[in-house]
Amino acid sequence: MNEDLKIVDNSIVPIYENQRGEKLINARELHKALESKRDFSNWINDRIVKYKFESGEDFSTILLKSSGGRPKKEYLLRFDVAKELCMIENNEIGRSIRKYFIEVEKRY
């Protein structure tokens, strides 16, 4: 995804680590794992507004090159934000992914 990130766990949802050692989750990959039926861009934008997530603090964005058209916008979520998004999905998949994140946190 980005050469400054490395995957540190790839069990359920890939968990990335940046050069500062922060654990990050790609929002698009989390959305897919949660099996949300909503369009990704609407899902993430609604969550950002409703829960007042702040760019640079709770998440960051990167633009990836595409094969034609406009670049793809990816959202990198802080670990706590990803856990919160799992909680607010309020379903069994969200609960199990949140438990997985907690377990990974304990290991690191």
Side-chain angles (χ1 to χ4, degrees):
M1 177 193 319
N2 182 327
E3 39 206 59
D4 295 334
L5 300 173
K6 67 178 182 175
I7 294 178
V8 294
D9 194 294
N10 199 14
S11 301
I12 298 175
V13 176
I15 298 172
Y16 299 90
E17 186 176 83
N18 63 18
Q19 293 177 332
R20 293 184 303 272
E22 297 169 309
K23 306 293 184 279
L24 304 168
I25 308 298
N26 179 302
R28 192 177 304 274
E29 293 169 343
L30 179 60
H31 174 261
K32 182 179 179 183
L34 289 169
E35 299 178 7
S36 176
K37 304 295 184 223
R38 296 189 62 202
D39 169 71
F40 171 73
S41 59
N42 291 330
W43 178 83
I44 191 64
N45 287 318
D46 287 350
R47 298 296 189 268
I48 288 169
V49 170
K50 184 174 183 178
Y51 297 98
K52 298 180 174 100
F53 296 142
E54 294 185 32
S55 181
E57 184 177 322
D58 299 313
F59 69 92
S60 58
T61 57
I62 56 173
L63 294 177
L64 299 179
K65 293 179 184 177
S66 67
S67 56
R70 59 185 167 172
K72 186 186 225 181
K73 188 175 191 179
E74 295 294 343
Y75 295 80
L76 298 175
L77 308 170
R78 287 191 49 228
F79 216 67
D80 289 344
V81 172
K83 286 191 298 187
E84 186 172 348
L85 288 175
C86 289
M87 280 192 315
I88 62 178
E89 282 299 309
N90 198 26
N91 61 28
E92 196 54 45
I93 295 170
R95 281 186 282 282
S96 65
I97 294 173
R98 182 175 165 273
K99 286 179 183 179
Y100 157 69
F101 287 158
I102 291 168
E103 193 56 44
V104 168
E105 246 180 348
K106 287 178 184 175
R107 280 188 272 158
Y108 290 99

